Amino acid sequence: MIPQEEGRLISRIAQRVIRSRGERPQGGRDGLAEGSADYEAYIVTPGFPRMGFTLGTYLRSPKEFGVQSHGILYPDLKKLKWRQYDGAEYITFTHAGEAYTLRGRGLYEMYLAMMDGTLQSVLEYDASVFAPIDPSQPIIDRVAVTDVAEMVRRSREDRESRRTH
């Protein structure tokens, strides 16, 4: 191999390794505290399958606001579905006893990355944290996480209370 070609090969390999990590620039992390960070709905690492991905959501209550990270392992991911309804896209799945529903737009590529195991991270959008985004950019504007066992328990209780009344 010619030295110049070898240098290009090493450069391409290094670029693929860096891309496979999907690292966000430090400036983006610093902007989170100021409400001016750039938003990226998801990070895909094409050609580099992973063991799982993280899903960043926000905890909202009248008293507090916080961030929560869910670790989703691909071997435990079940019932993955994508659908488009009433102007929005939805991705639903179950994982480790919880049901997840993500709503947004531009999510079909993310769904395919989940099928391929190349999704690295997903992040819910919040206007108080991120800079405004272009309407053509993918966005996850709502995430619901439901404990399946709790949902079944409540359903049984509702059924029983209807029988007794």
Side-chain angles (χ1 to χ4, degrees):
M1 188 175 280
I2 302 171
Q4 185 179 16
E5 289 177 5
E6 186 175 312
R8 286 185 192 148
L9 176 63
I10 291 171
S11 175
R12 280 185 290 180
I13 291 170
Q15 288 173 1
R16 289 182 68 170
V17 169
I18 290 168
R19 189 180 70 222
S20 76
R21 291 182 165 192
E23 293 184 11
R24 296 177 188 268
Q26 182 61 40
R29 289 188 206 113
D30 294 340
L32 288 173
E34 302 163 5
S36 63
D38 290 333
Y39 175 73
E40 215 174 337
Y42 52 87
I43 296 175
V44 175
T45 56
F48 294 94
R50 312 184 71 77
M51 289 299 297
F53 63 94
T54 59
L55 169 60
T57 60
Y58 297 97
L59 304 170
R60 297 171 182 91
S61 75
K63 294 182 181 180
E64 65 181 312
F65 177 82
V67 180
Q68 184 173 17
S69 182
H70 304 264
I72 311 296
L73 299 175
Y74 284 114
D76 297 331
L77 185 71
K78 307 282 187 247
K79 299 183 179 182
L80 177 61
K81 294 179 185 163
W82 173 90
R83 69 182 173 112
Q84 193 169 20
Y85 177 75
D86 203 21
E89 293 177 51
Y90 296 85
I91 293 177
T92 57
F93 59 90
T94 61
H95 177 267
E98 294 179 318
Y100 292 78
T101 302
L102 288 68
R103 181 185 73 186
R105 68 173 180 263
L107 304 183
Y108 192 72
E109 182 183 345
M110 184 178 107
Y111 168 76
L112 294 176
M114 291 172 83
M115 296 291 289
D116 290 342
T118 59
L119 184 64
Q120 178 179 334
S121 64
V122 177
L123 190 58
E124 183 180 15
Y125 180 81
D126 187 288
S128 67
V129 176
F130 296 102
I133 64 168
D134 185 284
S136 65
Q137 184 178 345
I139 185 173
I140 298 162
D141 60 6
R142 192 73 177 130
V143 176
V145 181
T146 307
D147 183 307
V148 175
E150 178 66 18
M151 188 172 60
V152 169
R153 186 188 63 75
R154 286 183 183 177
S155 176
R156 287 180 182 154
E157 286 176 357
D158 288 346
R159 230 181 2 246
E160 288 176 20
S161 71
R162 280 184 261 153
R163 284 186 202 155
T164 59
H165 290 111

